[in-house]
Coordinates of all heavy atoms in Angstrom, one line a residue:
M1435 N 27.2 -21.0 -0.5 CA 26.4 -20.6 -1.6 C 26.9 -19.3 -2.2 O 27.3 -18.4 -1.5 CB 24.9 -20.4 -1.2 CG 24.0 -19.9 -2.3 SD 22.4 -19.4 -1.7 CE 21.9 -20.8 -0.8
T1436 N 26.9 -19.3 -3.5 CA 27.3 -18.0 -4.2 C 26.4 -17.8 -5.4 O 25.7 -18.7 -5.8 CB 28.8 -18.2 -4.8 OG1 28.8 -19.2 -5.7 CG2 29.8 -18.4 -3.7
F1437 N 26.4 -16.5 -5.8 CA 25.7 -16.2 -7.0 C 26.4 -15.0 -7.7 O 27.2 -14.3 -7.0 CB 24.2 -15.9 -6.8 CG 23.9 -14.8 -5.8 CD1 23.7 -13.5 -6.3 CD2 23.7 -15.1 -4.5 CE1 23.4 -12.5 -5.4 CE2 23.4 -14.1 -3.6 CZ 23.2 -12.8 -4.1
E1438 N 26.1 -14.8 -9.0 CA 26.9 -13.8 -9.7 C 26.1 -12.5 -9.8 O 25.0 -12.5 -10.2 CB 27.1 -14.3 -11.1 CG 28.0 -15.5 -11.2 CD 29.4 -15.3 -10.7 OE1 30.0 -14.2 -11.0 OE2 30.0 -16.1 -10.0
N1439 N 26.8 -11.5 -9.3 CA 26.3 -10.1 -9.5 C 27.5 -9.2 -9.1 O 28.1 -9.4 -8.0 CB 25.1 -9.8 -8.6 CG 24.5 -8.4 -8.8 OD1 25.1 -7.5 -8.2 ND2 23.5 -8.3 -9.5
P1440 N 27.8 -8.2 -9.9 CA 29.0 -7.4 -9.6 C 28.8 -6.5 -8.4 O 29.9 -6.1 -7.9 CB 29.1 -6.5 -10.9 CG 27.7 -6.5 -11.5 CD 27.1 -7.8 -11.1
N1441 N 27.6 -6.4 -7.9 CA 27.5 -5.5 -6.7 C 27.4 -6.3 -5.4 O 27.2 -5.7 -4.3 CB 26.2 -4.7 -6.9 CG 26.3 -3.7 -8.1 OD1 25.7 -4.0 -9.1 ND2 27.2 -2.8 -7.9
V1442 N 27.6 -7.6 -5.4 CA 27.6 -8.4 -4.2 C 29.1 -8.4 -3.7 O 30.0 -8.7 -4.4 CB 27.2 -9.9 -4.5 CG1 27.5 -10.7 -3.2 CG2 25.7 -9.9 -4.9
K1443 N 29.2 -7.9 -2.4 CA 30.5 -7.9 -1.8 C 30.8 -9.0 -0.8 O 31.9 -9.4 -0.6 CB 30.7 -6.5 -1.2 CG 30.6 -5.4 -2.2 CD 31.5 -5.6 -3.4 CE 31.3 -4.6 -4.5 NZ 31.9 -5.0 -5.7
N1444 N 29.7 -9.5 -0.3 CA 29.8 -10.6 0.7 C 28.5 -11.3 0.9 O 27.5 -10.5 0.8 CB 30.4 -10.1 2.0 CG 31.0 -11.2 2.9 OD1 31.1 -12.3 2.5 ND2 31.4 -10.8 4.1
I1445 N 28.4 -12.5 1.2 CA 27.2 -13.2 1.5 C 27.4 -14.2 2.7 O 28.5 -14.7 2.8 CB 26.5 -13.9 0.3 CG1 27.4 -15.1 -0.2 CG2 26.1 -13.0 -0.8 CD1 26.7 -15.9 -1.2
W1446 N 26.4 -14.3 3.5 CA 26.4 -15.3 4.5 C 25.0 -15.6 4.9 O 24.1 -15.0 4.5 CB 27.3 -14.8 5.7 CG 26.7 -13.6 6.4 CD1 25.8 -13.6 7.5 CD2 26.9 -12.2 6.1 NE1 25.5 -12.3 7.9 CE2 26.2 -11.4 7.1 CE3 27.7 -11.6 5.2 CZ2 26.2 -10.0 7.0 CZ3 27.7 -10.2 5.2 CH2 27.0 -9.4 6.1
T1447 N 24.9 -16.7 5.7 CA 23.5 -17.0 6.2 C 23.5 -16.8 7.7 O 24.5 -16.8 8.4 CB 23.2 -18.5 5.9 OG1 24.2 -19.3 6.5 CG2 23.0 -18.8 4.5
T1448 N 22.3 -16.5 8.2 CA 22.1 -16.3 9.6 C 20.7 -17.0 9.9 O 19.9 -17.3 9.0 CB 22.1 -14.8 10.0 OG1 22.0 -14.7 11.4 CG2 21.0 -14.1 9.3
I1449 N 20.5 -17.2 11.2 CA 19.2 -17.7 11.7 C 18.5 -16.6 12.4 O 19.1 -16.0 13.3 CB 19.5 -18.9 12.6 CG1 20.3 -20.0 11.9 CG2 18.2 -19.5 13.2 CD1 19.6 -20.7 10.8
E1450 N 17.2 -16.5 12.1 CA 16.4 -15.5 12.9 C 15.3 -16.3 13.5 O 14.6 -17.2 12.9 CB 15.8 -14.5 11.9 CG 16.9 -13.5 11.4 CD 16.4 -12.3 10.7 OE1 15.1 -12.1 10.7 OE2 17.2 -11.6 10.2
I1451 N 15.0 -16.0 14.8 CA 14.1 -16.7 15.6 C 13.1 -15.7 16.2 O 13.5 -14.7 16.7 CB 14.8 -17.4 16.8 CG1 15.9 -18.3 16.2 CG2 13.8 -18.2 17.6 CD1 17.0 -18.6 17.2
D1452 N 11.8 -16.0 16.1 CA 10.8 -15.2 16.7 C 9.7 -16.1 17.2 O 9.8 -17.4 17.2 CB 10.2 -14.1 15.8 CG 9.5 -14.7 14.5 OD1 9.1 -15.9 14.5 OD2 9.3 -13.9 13.6
K1453 N 8.6 -15.6 17.7 CA 7.5 -16.4 18.3 C 6.9 -17.4 17.3 O 6.3 -18.4 17.7 CB 6.4 -15.5 18.9 CG 5.7 -14.6 17.9 CD 4.7 -13.8 18.6 CE 4.1 -12.7 17.8 NZ 3.4 -13.0 16.6
D1454 N 7.1 -17.1 16.0 CA 6.5 -18.0 14.9 C 7.4 -19.1 14.5 O 7.0 -19.9 13.7 CB 6.0 -17.1 13.7 CG 4.9 -16.1 14.1 OD1 4.0 -16.5 14.9 OD2 4.9 -15.0 13.6
G1455 N 8.7 -19.0 14.9 CA 9.6 -20.1 14.5 C 10.9 -19.6 14.1 O 11.4 -18.5 14.5
V1456 N 11.6 -20.4 13.4 CA 13.0 -20.2 13.0 C 13.1 -20.0 11.4 O 12.4 -20.8 10.7 CB 13.9 -21.3 13.4 CG1 15.3 -21.1 13.0 CG2 13.9 -21.5 14.9
E1457 N 13.8 -19.0 11.0 CA 14.0 -18.9 9.5 C 15.5 -18.7 9.2 O 16.3 -18.1 10.0 CB 13.3 -17.6 9.0 CG 11.8 -17.7 9.0 CD 11.2 -16.6 8.3 OE1 11.6 -15.4 8.5 OE2 10.2 -16.8 7.5
T1458 N 15.9 -19.3 8.1 CA 17.3 -19.1 7.7 C 17.3 -18.0 6.6 O 16.5 -18.0 5.7 CB 17.8 -20.4 7.0 OG1 17.8 -21.4 8.0 CG2 19.3 -20.2 6.6
V1459 N 18.2 -17.0 6.8 CA 18.2 -15.8 6.0 C 19.5 -15.7 5.3 O 20.6 -15.9 5.9 CB 18.0 -14.5 6.9 CG1 18.0 -13.3 6.1 CG2 16.7 -14.7 7.7
L1460 N 19.5 -15.5 4.0 CA 20.7 -15.2 3.2 C 20.9 -13.7 3.3 O 20.1 -12.9 2.9 CB 20.5 -15.6 1.8 CG 21.6 -15.3 0.8 CD1 22.9 -16.2 1.2 CD2 21.2 -15.6 -0.6
V1461 N 22.0 -13.3 3.9 CA 22.4 -11.9 4.0 C 23.3 -11.5 2.9 O 24.3 -12.2 2.6 CB 23.1 -11.6 5.4 CG1 23.4 -10.1 5.5 CG2 22.2 -12.0 6.5
V1462 N 23.0 -10.5 2.1 CA 23.7 -10.1 0.9 C 24.2 -8.7 1.2 O 23.4 -7.7 1.3 CB 22.9 -10.1 -0.3 CG1 23.7 -9.7 -1.5 CG2 22.3 -11.5 -0.6
E1463 N 25.5 -8.5 1.3 CA 26.2 -7.2 1.5 C 26.5 -6.7 0.1 O 27.1 -7.3 -0.7 CB 27.4 -7.4 2.3 CG 28.1 -6.0 2.7 CD 29.2 -6.2 3.6 OE1 30.1 -7.2 3.4 OE2 29.4 -5.5 4.6
T1464 N 26.1 -5.4 -0.1 CA 26.2 -4.8 -1.5 C 26.8 -3.4 -1.4 O 26.6 -2.7 -0.3 CB 24.8 -4.8 -2.2 OG1 25.0 -4.2 -3.5 CG2 23.8 -4.0 -1.4
D1465 N 27.4 -3.0 -2.5 CA 27.9 -1.6 -2.6 C 26.8 -0.7 -3.2 O 27.1 0.5 -3.3 CB 29.2 -1.5 -3.4 CG 29.0 -2.0 -4.8 OD1 27.9 -2.5 -5.2 OD2 30.0 -2.0 -5.6
L1466 N 25.6 -1.2 -3.4 CA 24.6 -0.4 -4.0 C 23.9 0.5 -2.9 O 23.7 0.0 -1.7 CB 23.5 -1.2 -4.6 CG 23.9 -2.0 -5.9 CD1 22.8 -2.9 -6.3 CD2 24.3 -1.0 -7.0
E1467 N 23.4 1.6 -3.3 CA 22.5 2.4 -2.5 C 21.2 1.7 -2.4 O 20.6 1.4 -3.5 CB 22.4 3.8 -3.0 CG 21.4 4.7 -2.3 CD 21.7 5.0 -0.9 OE1 22.8 5.5 -0.6 OE2 20.9 4.6 0.0
L1468 N 20.6 1.5 -1.2 CA 19.4 0.8 -1.1 C 18.2 1.7 -0.7 O 17.1 1.3 -0.7 CB 19.5 -0.3 0.0 CG 20.5 -1.4 -0.4 CD1 20.6 -2.4 0.7 CD2 20.2 -2.1 -1.7
N1469 N 18.5 3.0 -0.5 CA 17.5 4.0 -0.1 C 16.9 4.5 -1.4 O 17.6 5.3 -2.1 CB 18.1 5.1 0.7 CG 17.1 6.1 1.1 OD1 15.9 6.2 0.6 ND2 17.5 7.1 1.9
A1470 N 15.7 4.2 -1.7 CA 15.0 4.6 -3.0 C 14.9 6.2 -3.1 O 14.8 6.7 -4.2 CB 13.7 4.0 -3.1
G1471 N 15.0 6.9 -2.0 CA 15.0 8.3 -2.0 C 16.3 9.0 -2.3 O 16.3 10.2 -2.5
S1472 N 17.4 8.3 -2.3 CA 18.7 8.8 -2.6 C 18.9 9.0 -4.1 O 18.5 8.2 -4.9 CB 19.7 7.9 -2.0 OG 21.0 8.3 -2.5
P1473 N 19.6 10.1 -4.5 CA 19.9 10.3 -5.9 C 20.8 9.2 -6.4 O 20.9 8.9 -7.6 CB 20.7 11.6 -5.9 CG 20.4 12.3 -4.6 CD 20.0 11.2 -3.6
A1474 N 21.6 8.5 -5.6 CA 22.5 7.4 -6.0 C 21.8 6.1 -6.2 O 22.3 5.1 -6.7 CB 23.6 7.2 -5.0
F1475 N 20.5 6.0 -5.8 CA 19.7 4.8 -6.0 C 19.5 4.4 -7.5 O 19.1 5.3 -8.3 CB 18.3 4.9 -5.3 CG 17.5 3.7 -5.4 CD1 17.7 2.6 -4.5 CD2 16.4 3.6 -6.3 CE1 16.9 1.5 -4.5 CE2 15.7 2.4 -6.3 CZ 15.9 1.4 -5.5
D1476 N 19.8 3.2 -7.8 CA 19.7 2.7 -9.2 C 18.8 1.5 -9.2 O 19.2 0.4 -8.9 CB 21.1 2.4 -9.8 CG 21.0 2.0 -11.2 OD1 20.0 1.4 -11.7 OD2 22.0 2.2 -11.9
A1477 N 17.5 1.7 -9.5 CA 16.5 0.7 -9.4 C 16.8 -0.5 -10.3 O 16.6 -1.7 -9.9 CB 15.1 1.2 -9.8
V1478 N 17.4 -0.3 -11.5 CA 17.8 -1.4 -12.4 C 18.8 -2.3 -11.7 O 18.7 -3.5 -11.7 CB 18.2 -0.8 -13.7 CG1 18.8 -2.0 -14.6 CG2 17.1 -0.1 -14.4
K1479 N 19.8 -1.7 -11.1 CA 20.9 -2.5 -10.5 C 20.4 -3.2 -9.2 O 20.7 -4.4 -9.0 CB 22.1 -1.6 -10.1 CG 22.9 -1.2 -11.3 CD 24.1 -0.4 -10.9 CE 24.9 0.0 -12.1 NZ 26.1 0.8 -11.8
V1480 N 19.5 -2.6 -8.4 CA 18.9 -3.2 -7.3 C 18.0 -4.4 -7.7 O 18.1 -5.4 -7.1 CB 18.2 -2.2 -6.4 CG1 17.4 -2.9 -5.3 CG2 19.2 -1.2 -5.8
D1481 N 17.2 -4.2 -8.7 CA 16.4 -5.2 -9.2 C 17.2 -6.4 -9.7 O 16.8 -7.6 -9.5 CB 15.4 -4.7 -10.3 CG 14.3 -3.8 -9.8 OD1 14.1 -3.8 -8.6 OD2 13.7 -3.2 -10.6
A1482 N 18.3 -6.1 -10.4 CA 19.2 -7.2 -10.9 C 19.8 -8.0 -9.7 O 19.9 -9.2 -9.7 CB 20.3 -6.7 -11.7
L1483 N 20.1 -7.3 -8.6 CA 20.7 -7.9 -7.4 C 19.6 -8.8 -6.8 O 19.9 -10.0 -6.4 CB 21.2 -6.9 -6.4 CG 21.7 -7.4 -5.1 CD1 22.8 -8.3 -5.2 CD2 22.0 -6.2 -4.2
I1484 N 18.4 -8.3 -6.7 CA 17.3 -9.1 -6.1 C 17.0 -10.3 -6.9 O 16.8 -11.4 -6.4 CB 16.0 -8.2 -5.9 CG1 16.3 -7.1 -4.8 CG2 14.8 -9.0 -5.6 CD1 15.2 -6.0 -4.8
D1485 N 17.0 -10.1 -8.2 CA 16.8 -11.3 -9.1 C 17.8 -12.3 -9.0 O 17.5 -13.5 -8.9 CB 16.7 -10.8 -10.6 CG 16.3 -11.9 -11.5 OD1 15.3 -12.5 -11.4 OD2 17.1 -12.1 -12.5
A1486 N 19.1 -11.9 -8.9 CA 20.2 -12.9 -8.8 C 20.1 -13.6 -7.4 O 20.3 -14.8 -7.3 CB 21.5 -12.2 -8.9
A1487 N 19.8 -12.9 -6.4 CA 19.6 -13.5 -5.0 C 18.5 -14.4 -5.0 O 18.6 -15.5 -4.4 CB 19.5 -12.4 -4.0
T1488 N 17.3 -14.0 -5.6 CA 16.1 -14.9 -5.6 C 16.4 -16.2 -6.3 O 15.9 -17.2 -5.9 CB 15.0 -14.1 -6.2 OG1 14.8 -12.9 -5.4 CG2 13.7 -14.9 -6.2
K1489 N 17.1 -16.1 -7.4 CA 17.4 -17.3 -8.2 C 18.3 -18.3 -7.4 O 18.4 -19.5 -7.8 CB 18.1 -17.0 -9.5 CG 17.1 -16.4 -10.5 CD 17.7 -16.0 -11.8 CE 16.7 -15.4 -12.7 NZ 17.3 -14.9 -13.9
S1490 N 18.9 -17.8 -6.3 CA 19.8 -18.7 -5.5 C 18.9 -19.6 -4.6 O 19.4 -20.6 -4.0 CB 20.8 -17.9 -4.6 OG 20.1 -17.2 -3.6
F1491 N 17.6 -19.3 -4.4 CA 16.8 -20.1 -3.5 C 16.8 -21.6 -3.9 O 17.1 -22.4 -3.0 CB 15.3 -19.6 -3.6 CG 15.0 -18.5 -2.6 CD1 14.5 -17.3 -3.1 CD2 15.2 -18.6 -1.3 CE1 14.2 -16.3 -2.2 CE2 14.9 -17.6 -0.4 CZ 14.4 -16.4 -0.9
P1492 N 16.6 -22.0 -5.2 CA 16.6 -23.4 -5.5 C 18.0 -24.0 -5.2 O 18.1 -25.2 -4.8 CB 16.3 -23.5 -7.0 CG 15.6 -22.2 -7.3 CD 16.2 -21.2 -6.3
A1493 N 19.1 -23.3 -5.4 CA 20.4 -23.8 -5.2 C 20.7 -24.1 -3.7 O 21.6 -24.9 -3.4 CB 21.5 -22.8 -5.7
S1494 N 19.9 -23.5 -2.8 CA 20.1 -23.7 -1.4 C 19.5 -25.0 -0.9 O 19.6 -25.4 0.2 CB 19.4 -22.6 -0.6 OG 18.0 -22.7 -0.5
G1495 N 18.8 -25.7 -1.8 CA 18.1 -27.0 -1.4 C 17.0 -26.8 -0.5 O 16.6 -27.6 0.3
G1496 N 16.4 -25.6 -0.5 CA 15.2 -25.3 0.4 C 15.6 -24.8 1.8 O 14.8 -24.7 2.6
T1497 N 16.9 -24.5 2.0 CA 17.3 -24.1 3.3 C 17.2 -22.6 3.6 O 17.2 -22.2 4.7 CB 18.8 -24.5 3.6 OG1 19.6 -23.9 2.6 CG2 19.0 -26.0 3.5
I1498 N 17.1 -21.8 2.5 CA 17.0 -20.4 2.6 C 15.5 -20.0 2.6 O 14.8 -20.3 1.7 CB 17.7 -19.6 1.5 CG1 19.2 -20.0 1.5 CG2 17.5 -18.1 1.6 CD1 20.0 -19.6 2.7
D1499 N 15.1 -19.2 3.7 CA 13.7 -18.8 3.7 C 13.5 -17.4 3.2 O 12.4 -17.1 2.6 CB 13.2 -18.8 5.2 CG 13.2 -20.2 5.8 OD1 12.6 -21.1 5.2 OD2 13.9 -20.4 6.8
R1500 N 14.5 -16.5 3.3 CA 14.3 -15.2 2.8 C 15.7 -14.5 2.6 O 16.7 -15.1 3.1 CB 13.4 -14.3 3.6 CG 13.8 -14.2 5.0 CD 12.5 -13.6 5.8 NE 12.8 -13.6 7.2 CZ 13.3 -12.6 7.9 NH1 13.5 -11.4 7.3 NH2 13.5 -12.7 9.2
I1501 N 15.7 -13.4 2.0 CA 17.0 -12.6 1.7 C 16.9 -11.3 2.4 O 15.9 -10.6 2.5 CB 17.1 -12.4 0.2 CG1 17.2 -13.8 -0.5 CG2 18.3 -11.6 -0.1 CD1 17.0 -13.7 -2.0
H1502 N 18.1 -10.9 2.9 CA 18.2 -9.6 3.6 C 19.3 -8.8 2.9 O 20.5 -9.3 2.9 CB 18.5 -9.8 5.1 CG 18.6 -8.5 5.9 ND1 17.5 -7.9 6.5 CD2 19.6 -7.7 6.2 CE1 17.8 -6.9 7.1 NE2 19.1 -6.7 6.9
L1503 N 19.1 -7.7 2.3 CA 20.1 -6.9 1.6 C 20.6 -5.9 2.6 O 19.8 -5.2 3.3 CB 19.5 -6.2 0.4 CG 18.9 -7.0 -0.7 CD1 18.4 -6.1 -1.8 CD2 19.9 -8.0 -1.2
V1504 N 21.9 -5.7 2.7 CA 22.5 -4.7 3.6 C 23.6 -4.0 2.8 O 24.4 -4.6 2.1 CB 23.1 -5.4 4.9 CG1 22.1 -6.0 5.8 CG2 24.2 -6.4 4.6
P1505 N 23.7 -2.7 3.0 CA 24.7 -1.9 2.4 C 26.1 -2.0 3.1 O 26.1 -2.3 4.3 CB 24.2 -0.5 2.4 CG 23.4 -0.5 3.7 CD 22.8 -1.8 3.8
I1506 N 27.1 -1.9 2.4 CA 28.5 -1.8 3.0 C 28.5 -0.6 3.8 O 28.1 0.5 3.3 CB 29.6 -1.8 1.9 CG1 29.6 -3.2 1.2 CG2 30.9 -1.5 2.6 CD1 30.6 -3.2 0.1
R1507 N 29.0 -0.6 5.0 CA 29.1 0.5 5.9 C 30.5 1.1 5.9 O 31.5 0.4 5.8 CB 28.7 0.2 7.3 CG 27.3 -0.3 7.3 CD 26.4 0.8 7.9 NE 25.0 0.3 7.8 CZ 24.0 1.2 7.6 NH1 24.3 2.4 7.4 NH2 22.8 0.8 7.5

């Protein structure tokens, strides 16, 4: 699965398991600052990334349960 956003550097899926069951998570690696308290945080760009990722849900055919954003380290 792919989606268009200039700040996406990598995406993959993972499975998370807890006492309530199993979820498939779309992990999105980004070059954006995700800490809202940082001066480098850009809410407009983060919102655009979230919007693009959220629109990928239908393309997954119902296999993605949620999205996890992670910064490049």
Side-chain angles (χ1 to χ4, degrees):
M1435 172 189 313
T1436 62
F1437 59 90
E1438 295 297 319
N1439 183 281
N1441 298 107
V1442 171
K1443 300 308 170 193
N1444 200 2
I1445 62 172
W1446 64 92
T1447 57
T1448 188
I1449 301 291
E1450 292 191 3
I1451 304 155
D1452 65 18
K1453 62 180 171 58
D1454 297 322
V1456 177
E1457 289 187 320
T1458 301
V1459 180
L1460 178 66
V1461 181
V1462 179
E1463 188 175 42
T1464 181
D1465 60 357
L1466 293 174
E1467 174 61 57
L1468 299 176
N1469 178 355
S1472 169
F1475 182 78
D1476 185 330
V1478 172
K1479 288 183 179 180
V1480 171
D1481 286 346
L1483 175 62
I1484 291 168
D1485 185 56
T1488 301
K1489 286 180 179 172
S1490 74
F1491 276 122
S1494 79
T1497 60
I1498 302 297
D1499 297 306
R1500 58 193 171 100
I1501 299 166
H1502 184 89
L1503 301 180
V1504 295
I1506 293 174
R1507 300 253 175 216

